[in-house]
């Protein structure tokens, strides 16, 4: 009986060790302060740090003002994909939105990423340009659901 249990435990460990793993370049994108109707497009980079293909099955924003588009093809081990997010910058004021990302990662089947910023008619063009540049070159950090708890 002990051998059977030990064998099952070992098999479970091997199955868990060889899996697809979702990581993000960042889980928080800050638009900064932008003018109304400014470019609301930003991109999250998704990397498969596992050893099996990663499939993003669904990306669900917290409201209708945010529209996602993502890599529908499997992301092979070591490769990257994108989650493009469009926030409707027509409304004035601060915003903070969450976006649920569903994948076949056995540990983080649901991850949460966030966008935030402020739409202000008095925003400078420089601030808007810096926000676009910042999101394009976000650092490559490993993040999981544990780091991205819903606020």
């Amino acid at each position: 009986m002990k051998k059977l249990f030990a064998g099952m435990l070992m098999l479970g460990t091997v199955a868990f060790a060889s899996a697809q793993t979702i990581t993000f370049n960042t889980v928080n994108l800050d638009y900064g302060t932008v003018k109304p109707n400014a470019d609301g497009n930003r991109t999250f980079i998704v990397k498969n740090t596992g050893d099996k293909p990663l499939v993003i099955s669904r990306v669900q924003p917290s409201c209708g003002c945010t529209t996602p588009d993502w890599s529908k093809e499997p992301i092979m081990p070591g490769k990257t994909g994108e989650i493009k997010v469009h926030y409707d910058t027509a409304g004035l004021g601060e915003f903070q939105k969450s976006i649920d990302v569903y994948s076949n990662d056995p540990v983080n089947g649901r991850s949460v990423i966030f966008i935030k910023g402020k739409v202000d008619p008095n925003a400078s063009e420089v601030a808007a340009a810096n926000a676009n540049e910042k999101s394009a070159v976000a650092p490559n950090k490993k993040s999981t659901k544990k780091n991205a708890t819903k606020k």
Side-chain angles (χ1 to χ4, degrees):
M1 185 69 161
K2 287 181 183 179
K3 288 182 182 181
L4 178 63
F5 179 70
M8 289 175 59
L9 183 62
M10 185 178 290
L11 182 61
T13 303
V14 170
F16 181 74
S18 61
Q20 53 282 359
T21 306
I22 191 168
T23 59
F24 299 89
N25 63 326
T26 184
V27 293
N28 296 294
L29 274 179
D30 189 348
Y31 281 57
T33 303
V34 298
K35 287 190 170 289
N37 300 309
D39 178 17
N41 297 312
R42 300 293 185 272
T43 303
F44 289 89
I45 304 299
V46 180
K47 185 170 185 176
N48 180 358
T49 56
D51 60 4
K52 290 186 177 177
L54 174 70
V55 177
I56 298 173
S57 57
R58 185 169 50 126
V59 178
Q60 182 69 46
S62 60
C63 73
C65 57
T66 308
T67 308
D69 186 28
W70 66 95
S71 305
K72 307 290 192 293
E73 297 296 318
I75 302 168
M76 301 312 286
K79 301 296 181 186
T80 60
E82 295 181 340
I83 298 176
K84 296 177 183 177
V85 178
H86 174 78
Y87 178 74
D88 182 2
T89 58
L92 297 178
E94 292 186 15
F95 63 90
Q96 183 169 358
K97 306 295 177 184
S98 62
I99 302 155
D100 294 335
V101 179
Y102 296 90
S103 72
N104 64 338
D105 181 325
V107 176
N108 295 302
R110 176 182 163 265
S111 302
V112 183
I113 55 179
F114 301 91
I115 59 170
K116 70 176 185 173
K118 182 177 182 181
V119 179
D120 184 345
N122 300 318
S124 71
E125 296 297 327
V126 174
N130 286 342
N132 284 337
E133 186 177 303
K134 198 185 305 181
S135 74
V137 293
N140 189 12
K141 297 178 189 170
K142 287 187 176 184
S143 301
T144 63
K145 184 178 169 185
K146 292 176 232 168
N147 302 40
T149 57
K150 210 170 202 176
K151 294 182 181 179

